[in-house]
Amino acid sequence: MEYNSTTIEKKWQKYWAENGSFEPSEDFSKEKKYILSMFPFPSGRLHMGHVRNYSISDAFARYYRQQNFNVLHPIGFDSFGMPAENAAIKNGSHPKGWTYDNIDYMKGEFAALGFSFSKERELATSDELYTKFEQGFIIDMFEKGLLYREKGLLNWCPHDQTVLANEQVVDGCCWRCDTPIVKKDMNQYYFKITQYADELLDDLKKLDGGWPKQVLTMQENWIGKSNGLAFDLFLDTESKEKLNNTFESFDVFTTRPDTIYGVSYTALAPEHAIVTYMIENKLLSDEVISEIKKMKNTSSIDRQKEKSGISLGLDVIHPLNGKQIPVWIANFVLMDYGSGAVMAVPAHDERDFDFAQKYDLPIHAVIKPYEGELSETKAFTEVGELFNSGEFDGLNSKKSQYNIIKYFEENKIGKKTTNYKLKDWGVSRQRYWGAPIPFIHCDSCGLVMEKKENLPIALPEDVEITGEGNPLDNHPTWKHCKCSKCGKDALRETDTMDTFVESSWYFLRFCASPANWEKEAFSKEQVKYWMGVDQYIGGIEHAILHLLYARFFTKVFRDLGYIDFDEPFDNLLTQGMVLKDGAKMSKSKGNTVDPDAIIEKYGADTARLFILFAAPPTQELEWNDNAVEGAHKFIKRFFDRSSNIVKMDTIPTIEHSSLSKDEKFARKKVYEALVRANDVYNEKYTFNTLIAGSMEAMNALNAQSNADVWSEGYWILSSIMEPVIPHVCWDISSEYFSLNNLNPQTVLDEVFVEDSVTLGVSINGKRRTEIEVAIDESKENIIEIAKAAASKWLEAKEILKVIVVPKKLVNIVIKG
């Protein structure tokens, strides 16, 4: 029968759906595997990056089902977010309708690709039930002191009209629309993620070996723990008078206390309290104030590119030598690291050196190399010997840090301090399509929580979305409510939550029994059984944002008593991007490939085979039309040659010793593919080598005609290829093996036992031919066989000696 992908794939997709083939069991005595892909935003259509992600996870899930594991392989939709509102503005649609129409379409695409997701545990994070549970968690976090509200200078996207977390600013631009961000002073809700900074950092050790090194390093750098010295710099009398005696000092932090005597100026962030005071009290010229505002509205990334500064006309006193130090504003100083003030040592810091040279500020060297001379044209940043450093002269600069910090602490002028780059996570968004923050503003009671029995606080559907302002704030009635504490008229919070909140706990939501889906966010019993996620698959672009937040939520939920473990994802695989013409696929570049078109022309199995064969999953994959065609031809050949199989319900028993050489070789290649498959799923994840091994086995089977060898070969190959090309393998297995081969396969050692060996034959060290001899052939016979094979090179030649290297070669040494 000729291969027809459409007929075969629809047949088995219908069978799987009707039989609930991929639902996890409630039998918790079985060994489990939780396989999870990062869920998609329902933008309307799958792209090839999605196909790659879910083909990888599906291969894992199908493999472990065959190995008799209880497999949870769920899917959901990260369905809140700005794109839905942008589509509403563009198309005149409602975000909810647009979102759920897209979800329905993408579910059809998932089914068409044969992905073995659980249907009973599907979710969308915009479902009111999901919001209900999430709002309950938010209230618990607020009561625990892990959520607070305060005013701050925030990243604002002028295009999307919303606040962004630091992690959502990429190269100074909004991570979604690439609009340059500006700074805006406003109220914001924050998660106290900094309270978990040390634990988030320390627990990276637990993930070593299961997570890519690159991701662990990225998280470590983002948390950015640094130890150093914190101390106050006191303003001189004249400067205090300029500031109307409002400020006595400001604090600074340095990781280089060894350079303390080299401080020649100090720099404040343009947002620093002293700068704000000087602006508000007109202590600076209009021109200078304009320059400062321009600095403040520049993204933190752009502020690092070209250094600029403004003298404030203030001085502080050096804490050790009493000298005056000028105070500047510098664009490279940021309020979200340390105190927003730095001591500058241009002789020993490249950034400070460049700034000092630009503004002709003094440079005081206090560390010299042990060999050679100090350069006057660049900063010396290596370890060296202190000089011009008072009582610390002659000390090794690295070792002196302890002594200098100790001096500051003993004299009560400073202390050892730890700082972090990580800042608390701002989660307020001034948008409609998000989970409402469950708080109420009451004139009498202040900020109060909604009662849990009133949850969910659902979004109103009668909103006008224009792209200007917050639709919830502009709604005529929704925000008006009664205070949950005193019953007086009050206002609801109109900010919604950052969508990363939803993706920070969705993996736990899948651990809810369908029977209790409506009653609980997740079950302690199910969480204890299913978590952690055994294999998590997603893009490297989520290394900081999503993965860090998910780890934080896991630790918070543990401390709230919901769960009893520390980390959510045991193993992480970060798949590479799919490229076409050397660039990432995108609509703007016009280089996208529509998965629907590939399925229609070649079938889902072809798309899956190509995507897993073209490159190892962690590497970038270049789209290749010819390779897609080649994948289709292999599947067609695989299906066509199944006609060589004899129908059977158990794997045939074969007397290996009685087989011909080709038959033995075919069995060997089949079992090599099986060994490789086990290695791939348990250690290497290189699906391309598994597929290549199966192709080699097919070629070897084709070189012989033994029906039992063919049947055994297909029994094994259709089993190990089922995770990759499930439809055709189920069809073959059903037709010939009653689906009995989709189970664990046993490796037979007998097929790897060699009864002959090939030896190279050399004349005077130059290889001429080769021979095949029995594995236990005597040395004397090997020599005779080698002479016979090399006879034409030995005519009329005197043989001086023959050297036999066991299992490798025979070297015949001749005269002349």
Side-chain angles (χ1 to χ4, degrees), residues 436-714:
I437 298 174
F439 293 111
I440 294 168
H441 300 276
C442 175
D443 288 340
S444 299
C445 305
L447 182 68
V448 296
M449 298 173 290
E450 184 56 87
K451 292 179 179 177
K452 282 192 177 182
E453 56 262 34
N454 295 335
L455 302 181
I457 305 305
L459 294 167
E461 296 198 16
D462 57 333
V463 289
E464 184 181 0
I465 299 174
T466 62
E468 295 183 7
N470 182 349
L472 292 178
D473 206 36
N474 296 332
H475 192 279
T477 61
W478 182 84
K479 65 183 177 182
H480 297 283
C481 66
K482 297 293 183 182
C483 174
S484 60
K485 198 170 183 181
C486 70
K488 294 179 182 177
D489 288 344
L491 294 175
R492 289 200 185 287
E493 176 58 65
T494 56
D495 283 357
T496 54
M497 281 185 271
D498 178 6
T499 56
F500 278 99
V501 176
E502 280 82 68
S503 59
S504 294
W505 69 278
Y506 80 110
F507 47 90
L508 291 169
R509 175 60 174 153
F510 291 129
C511 300
S513 167
N516 292 323
W517 192 256
E518 303 282 330
K519 299 176 186 175
E520 57 188 2
F522 45 81
S523 133
K524 278 198 171 183
E525 182 188 25
Q526 294 237 352
V527 164
K528 187 175 182 63
Y529 175 68
W530 288 115
M531 291 297 294
V533 175
D534 294 281
Q535 186 65 63
Y536 198 33
I537 301 106
I540 190 76
E541 66 272 17
H542 298 294
I544 293 170
L545 290 162
H546 161 57
L547 290 170
L548 185 66
Y549 293 157
R551 295 180 62 225
F552 164 62
F553 256 65
T554 300
K555 296 175 191 306
V556 168
F557 280 15
R558 176 203 61 201
D559 291 347
L560 290 172
Y562 305 155
I563 58 178
D564 60 1
F565 52 89
D566 303 323
E567 289 290 336
F569 312 121
D570 295 345
N571 294 285
L572 173 69
L573 189 156
T574 51
Q575 90 275 4
M577 290 188 299
V578 180
L579 311 177
K580 188 164 189 241
D581 304 323
K584 181 181 178 181
M585 287 189 182
S586 72
K587 291 177 182 176
S588 61
K589 294 190 178 82
N591 67 342
T592 58
V593 174
D594 184 0
D596 290 351
I598 298 298
I599 293 169
E600 184 178 351
K601 184 175 181 180
Y602 296 110
D605 281 344
T606 293
R608 295 170 61 124
L609 180 65
F610 166 76
I611 213 84
L612 293 176
F613 184 49
T618 56
Q619 296 180 13
E620 291 178 339
L621 182 155
E622 178 73 33
W623 186 264
N624 184 315
D625 291 328
N626 291 333
V628 175
E629 182 73 39
H632 181 67
K633 286 179 179 176
F634 170 76
I635 293 172
K636 187 175 181 299
R637 188 165 65 249
F638 186 66
F639 181 81
D640 291 344
R641 291 180 185 171
S642 66
S643 59
N644 293 319
I645 303 173
V646 177
K647 288 188 179 184
M648 54 187 65
D649 289 334
T650 58
I651 193 168
T653 300
I654 298 173
E655 182 60 47
H656 189 69
S657 61
S658 66
L659 299 180
S660 69
K661 178 182 175 183
D662 288 341
E663 291 164 351
K664 288 178 179 178
F665 183 71
R667 291 192 85 204
K668 178 185 175 185
K669 298 307 288 184
V670 166
Y671 280 96
E672 279 181 352
L674 174 58
V675 170
R676 195 178 296 184
N678 291 332
D679 287 346
V680 164
Y681 287 109
N682 293 298
E683 295 177 20
K684 301 175 182 175
Y685 311 152
T686 49
F687 298 100
N688 55 315
T689 63
L690 177 158
I691 296 165
S694 298
M695 290 177 172
E696 291 171 10
M698 277 296 299
N699 291 336
L701 285 171
N702 203 48
Q704 59 85 52
S705 57
N706 185 312
D708 279 347
V709 173
W710 268 106
S711 300
E712 179 194 46
Y714 262 77

Side-chain angles (χ1 to χ4, degrees), residues 20-136:
S21 299
F22 308 127
E23 298 307 326
S25 168
E26 299 277 314
D27 179 3
F28 295 166
S29 66
K30 294 182 67 176
E31 195 172 357
K32 67 90 183 181
K33 285 290 181 181
Y34 185 175
I35 310 298
L36 183 64
S37 307
M38 293 181 186
F39 61 173
F41 177 80
S43 57
R45 282 182 177 272
L46 295 180
H47 53 67
M48 294 312 298
H50 288 130
V51 176
R52 191 178 199 195
N53 189 351
Y54 304 127
S55 293
I56 294 168
S57 75
D58 201 53
F60 278 115
R62 288 177 176 274
Y63 171 78
Y64 284 115
R65 281 195 201 94
Q66 281 195 32
Q67 308 308 306
N68 294 325
F69 284 86
N70 189 11
V71 175
L72 174 59
H73 184 222
I75 192 64
F77 296 90
D78 196 10
S79 49
F80 272 140
M82 290 179 286
E85 287 192 50
N86 294 338
I89 296 165
K90 183 179 179 181
N91 305 321
S93 59
H94 193 283
K96 184 174 183 179
W98 181 86
T99 297
Y100 283 91
D101 284 348
N102 287 344
I103 287 173
D104 287 341
Y105 187 86
M106 291 174 77
K107 282 165 130 180
E109 289 185 300
F110 286 150
L113 281 156
F115 294 143
S116 62
F117 296 128
S118 164
K119 301 291 184 193
E120 294 178 349
R121 304 193 188 210
E122 279 181 356
L123 62 84
T125 58
S126 52
D127 295 342
E128 286 188 14
L129 188 60
Y130 195 91
T131 296
K132 172 187 174 180
F133 294 130
E134 183 168 280
Q135 288 172 338

Side-chain angles (χ1 to χ4, degrees), residues 261 365-368 385-396 400 404:
Y261 276 94
V366 293
I367 303 173
K368 59 186 176 183
E385 180 186 343
L386 291 189
F387 73 107
N388 292 334
S389 296
E391 65 183 85
F392 305 107
D393 280 356
L395 293 179
N396 174 281
S400 72
I404 293 170

